[in-house]
Amino acid sequence: CSSDLNITMSSHPVVDIDKCVGCETCVQVCPESLFEMKDGVARFKQERVDDCTACETCVNNCPVTALSMVPKP
């Protein structure tokens, strides 16, 4: 029986700060709590990049399409 739980996802979200309107939707919907608000815009917590499961819940719920997925470093 193989376990998919040990697979590290290879992408994470980035915030386009020029598009972000500070609605906090990503902060509210991220199941891993990987977003915070700074200076009125959302910020992805880079120090926790490995905790991101690449579920894309944040991307799919952003009302202004300010989020996109990029490969992890």
Side-chain angles (χ1 to χ4, degrees):
C1 186
S2 65
S3 172
D4 290 333
L5 297 176
N6 293 327
I7 297 173
T8 302
M9 296 300 166
S10 60
S11 62
H12 69 88
V14 291
V15 179
D16 181 336
I17 59 171
D18 292 326
K19 288 184 179 180
C20 181
V21 295
C23 70
E24 298 188 28
T25 298
C26 56
V27 175
Q28 296 167 7
V29 301
C30 178
E32 303 300 327
S33 301
L34 299 178
F35 290 91
E36 62 189 347
M37 298 301 294
K38 284 192 178 176
D39 300 322
V41 295
R43 301 284 183 183
F44 179 75
K45 298 176 182 177
Q46 277 301 130
E47 68 277 6
R48 293 190 52 211
V49 69
D50 289 335
D51 293 338
C52 180
T53 63
C55 69
E56 298 192 26
T57 299
C58 57
V59 174
N60 294 330
N61 283 278
C62 180
V64 294
T65 62
L67 295 166
S68 59
M69 298 299 284
V70 298
K72 287 184 180 177

